[in-house]
């Protein structure tokens, strides 16, 4: 066999080995392993270590009272804020950031999206329509749908918090 062919086969072999290693590592270190108590410390199972309040809620409040315009809200920022809003209602092994979900904030996001030309406008409005109606029975699915659009790989929602758990989350994270 010629030297160039041997090099091509060798490089291809190591490239495939690298790809399989990455895929196996992702599967091995996947969500199911990370949700075990030994690897995910939580407070009563609802507030993963590292959950923190972020500024998007206050920015929305400033828009609501007219202190600020909504022109800098792009699709990514809206989805990120909605994702963080779901954190007060879902159970997940990890939550990076949290925005308190209020009726005014949901309404303001709706207005921003409704007046936009976002690529995923219909998708976003379908979720916000439910939230505006006070329908949160599938918010874990909403979380995961948003999370998937953001190419999430850690912190998949695994169900809904009880009313007591949500109250505790709000008290500890936002108050």
């Amino acid at each position: 066999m010629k030297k160039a062919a041997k090099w091509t086969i060798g490089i291809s072999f190591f490239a495939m080995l690298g790809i399989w290693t990455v895929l196996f590592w992702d599967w091995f270190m996947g969500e199911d392993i990370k949700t075990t108590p030994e690897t995910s410390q939580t407070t009563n199972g609802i507030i993963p270590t590292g959950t923190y309040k972020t500024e998007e809620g206050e920015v929305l409040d400033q828009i609501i009272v007219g202190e600020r315009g909504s022109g800098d809200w792009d699709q990514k920022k809206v989805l990120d804020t909605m994702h963080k809003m779901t954190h007060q209602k879902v159970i997940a092994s990890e939550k990076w950031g949290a925005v308190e979900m209020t009726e005014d904030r949901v309404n303001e996001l709706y207005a921003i999206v409704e007046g936009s030309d976002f690529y995923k406008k219909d998708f976003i409005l379908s979720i916000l329509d439910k939230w505006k109606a006070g329908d949160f029975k599938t918010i874990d699915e909403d979380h995961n749908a948003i999370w998937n659009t953001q190419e999430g790989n850690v912190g998949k929602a695994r169900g809904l918090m009880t009313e007591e758990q949500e109250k505790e989350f709000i008290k500890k994270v936002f108050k």
Side-chain angles (χ1 to χ4, degrees):
M1 200 184 289
K2 294 188 176 193
K3 193 173 188 178
K6 287 181 183 178
W7 273 101
T8 302
I9 291 171
I11 290 171
S12 297
F13 172 78
F14 284 107
M16 289 302 295
L17 181 64
I19 290 169
W20 281 106
T21 301
V22 168
L23 292 174
F24 179 77
W25 184 259
D26 185 49
W27 170 78
F28 182 74
M29 295 304 291
E31 185 65 22
D32 291 333
I33 293 173
K34 290 186 177 185
T35 58
T36 61
E38 296 79 25
T39 60
S40 180
Q41 298 176 354
T42 62
T43 305
N44 293 333
I46 61 164
I47 307 174
T49 304
T51 302
Y52 55 92
K53 179 179 172 181
T54 57
E55 70 173 1
E56 292 91 338
E58 285 74 21
V59 173
L60 278 173
D61 292 343
Q62 291 171 354
I63 294 169
I64 292 165
V65 298
E67 294 175 4
R68 177 179 203 148
S70 62
D72 63 338
W73 283 71
D74 59 12
Q75 179 176 286
K76 182 181 181 315
K77 189 170 185 176
V78 167
L79 285 169
D80 189 51
T81 301
M82 290 172 63
H83 178 198
K84 291 173 182 176
M85 284 178 156
T86 66
H87 288 168
Q88 82 181 48
K89 295 185 176 290
V90 301
I91 297 170
S93 63
E94 293 189 34
K95 298 177 181 180
W96 298 344
V99 172
E100 187 172 10
M101 183 181 291
T102 67
E103 185 178 338
D104 286 342
R105 290 175 179 176
V106 170
N107 289 335
E108 187 57 41
L109 282 175
Y110 191 93
I112 291 168
V113 176
E114 191 174 43
S116 76
D117 60 353
F118 295 164
Y119 177 71
K120 296 185 180 291
K121 180 177 180 174
D122 292 338
F123 164 74
I124 297 168
L125 288 176
S126 70
I127 293 172
L128 289 171
D129 277 330
K130 291 188 289 185
W131 296 1
K132 279 181 66 154
D135 178 2
F136 301 106
K137 62 183 174 275
T138 59
I139 198 164
D140 54 338
E141 294 169 15
D142 298 339
H143 171 279
N144 292 340
I146 295 167
W147 180 77
N148 283 329
T149 67
Q150 297 173 316
E151 300 179 4
N153 58 11
V154 175
K156 183 176 182 178
R158 299 289 187 191
L160 303 176
M161 287 186 198
T162 65
E163 192 174 321
E164 297 81 27
Q165 289 172 323
E166 183 178 352
K167 285 178 183 175
E168 182 180 345
F169 184 92
I170 291 168
K171 179 182 173 187
K172 292 192 178 204
V173 176
F174 303 123
K175 305 300 180 198

